[in-house]
Amino acid sequence: MVADLHWTIQLEDVQVWQRERTTLTVAVQSTDRFATLETSLPRIEGVDVQALPATNEAGTDGKRILRLTWQLSAHTPGKQTLQLPIIRYNLNGRDAAQWQPPVQKLEVQALPPYLPPTIPVGNVQIDSHIEPSGILQPGHMAYWHIRLHSDAVNTAQFPPILKQMRSSGVELFPAKVDKPASDGGQYRLEYHIPFKPQSSGRLDLPTLQWHWFAPETARLEHRQYTPPRPWVLGWIWRGVMGVFSLLALLASLWFGVKLADKYGQQWRSKRRILQALQMPDSPHRVQKAMRECATAHGWAENLSVAQWLTCWEQHYGTADNLRIQLQAMERARFAK
């Protein structure tokens, strides 16, 4: 029933730094999956407030949990009083109930005086890629796509990376900046920077760096990002590399053929000696097969049976049956 609604309010952090983001959430349990919560945007002096999308999620015991969430970022140090407007529980297109959240208290710590207002309070992540991928060509247009994102810092505090766009080996053009809508409380900025490499070699885009204040440790941290460095090659260098690649491929094929032939000879010589041992009264055939096997494996010539067996076992492992057969052949040969 509407009269039995159980309301809760939760402040993520009761103590924050200036410009550090925190969240304030109002929730209520309901049995109606189509119910919604509505209110006006809170206006709190000295605090930036941004509303996140309202949610209606399945809870336990067949109930639904409706939530309204705001992100707060205080700019004035000291104690802040957070008073939310009346929350309306909407059912079937009308206000079925209203709730006045209790006042919340937020303690805001002043940032160290040496920090300029452009320093982000919280970490900002960065990733980028070059288009087209692979090897670039001098004098041809390419694009450097940079994505800054953070779940702790809004875009107003993102580092001004465009001021660092200087490079001696690349001609940079004006950037296009996209600001996608925040997704689940994460802020993003996407930069699309056209450029032309001016010479062959490794691409030399500027290294990006900035400082940020870590609220967890109350320390000033440094961030440095090295962009991708693909190769830039003109047609002449591409031709040279193509020739070397072809030569390397041919050399690999030649060595592969030689290696395959070597192992083929070893396998055939091994098979011949095993076949020769199966034939009675064939010591000369066995001796010939042993010499061919030694040659195929690169062993010394004119080995005794014991020496040949040592080389065989070093290459193929212990072979008791082969040793017995060769020793028996040796005894029969000298007995005659």
Side-chain angles (χ1 to χ4, degrees), residues 268-287:
R268 288 190 295 271
S269 66
K270 176 183 176 182
R271 184 182 179 186
R272 280 195 293 268
I273 194 168
L274 294 176
Q275 289 176 342
L277 287 170
Q278 301 303 318
M279 301 177 66
D281 302 328
S282 57
H284 296 292
R285 185 188 297 271
V286 173
Q287 290 174 353

Side-chain angles (χ1 to χ4, degrees), residues 13-286:
D13 301 295
V14 296
Q15 188 177 52
V16 295
W17 294 91
Q18 284 177 272
R19 296 191 279 120
E20 180 185 359
R21 197 178 73 167
T22 188
T23 60
L24 180 61
T25 303
V26 168
V28 66
Q29 290 185 350
S30 172
T31 56
D32 197 311
R33 61 177 304 178
F34 299 105
T36 60
L37 295 181
E38 297 178 355
T39 189
S40 57
L41 182 67
R43 298 186 180 276
I44 305 172
E45 185 177 357
V47 180
D48 287 340
V49 182
Q50 180 176 358
L52 297 181
T55 61
N56 185 334
E57 301 174 343
T60 57
D61 301 329
K63 293 185 178 181
R64 312 287 300 180
I65 300 178
L66 286 65
R67 289 189 180 89
L68 291 177
T69 305
W70 298 269
Q71 293 177 347
L72 310 177
S73 178
H75 291 268
T76 305
K79 292 183 178 180
Q80 297 286 342
T81 300
L82 309 178
Q83 177 63 71
L84 294 178
I86 292 176
I87 310 298
R88 301 187 302 276
Y89 177 83
N90 190 290
L91 187 62
N92 298 325
R94 62 181 182 85
D95 291 344
Q98 293 185 350
W99 183 64
Q100 176 61 66
V103 173
Q104 304 295 303
K105 299 293 185 179
L106 182 65
E107 182 71 28
V108 183
Q109 292 180 274
L111 289 170
Y114 59 82
L115 289 182
T118 56
I119 294 292
V121 179
N123 194 11
V124 178
Q125 302 293 330
I126 182 172
D127 52 71
S128 74
H129 67 277
I130 304 296
E131 184 186 1
S133 60
I135 299 176
L136 304 179
Q137 189 170 348
H140 283 63
M141 188 74 74
Y143 295 88
W144 184 16
H145 301 286
I146 305 173
R147 179 174 175 265
L148 297 177
H149 54 98
S150 175
D151 56 3
V153 177
N154 59 36
T155 55
Q157 297 185 56
F158 278 12
I161 62 172
L162 292 180
K163 294 182 179 180
Q164 304 180 43
M165 292 298 160
R166 299 181 182 89
S167 178
S168 58
V170 176
E171 183 181 2
L172 297 168
F173 297 92
K176 176 186 175 183
V177 184
D178 293 336
K179 183 181 178 182
S182 61
D183 181 16
Q186 186 178 82
Y187 296 95
R188 302 193 305 274
L189 274 183
E190 296 178 0
Y191 298 84
H192 310 280
I193 305 173
F195 68 91
K196 284 184 181 179
Q198 296 177 331
S199 59
S200 296
R202 296 300 294 268
L203 183 64
D204 183 23
L205 290 173
T207 297
L208 306 177
Q209 52 187 337
W210 63 87
H211 291 84
W212 60 282
F213 181 77
E216 300 83 4
T217 60
R219 294 177 54 184
L220 189 64
E221 305 286 349
H222 178 254
R223 182 71 192 274
Q224 181 169 304
Y225 176 76
T226 302
R229 299 190 62 204
W231 283 98
V232 181
L233 297 176
W235 290 115
I236 295 178
W237 282 105
R238 293 189 185 207
V240 172
M241 288 192 64
V243 170
F244 276 106
S245 299
L246 180 60
L247 292 176
L249 177 61
L250 293 175
S252 299
L253 290 174
W254 184 81
F255 281 113
V257 170
K258 295 290 289 184
L259 191 62
D261 182 63
K262 174 183 175 182
Y263 283 115
Q265 290 182 13
Q266 292 179 357
W267 180 82
R268 288 190 295 271
S269 66
K270 176 183 176 182
R271 184 182 179 186
R272 280 195 293 268
I273 194 168
L274 294 176
Q275 289 176 342
L277 287 170
Q278 301 303 318
M279 301 177 66
D281 302 328
S282 57
H284 296 292
R285 185 188 297 271
V286 173

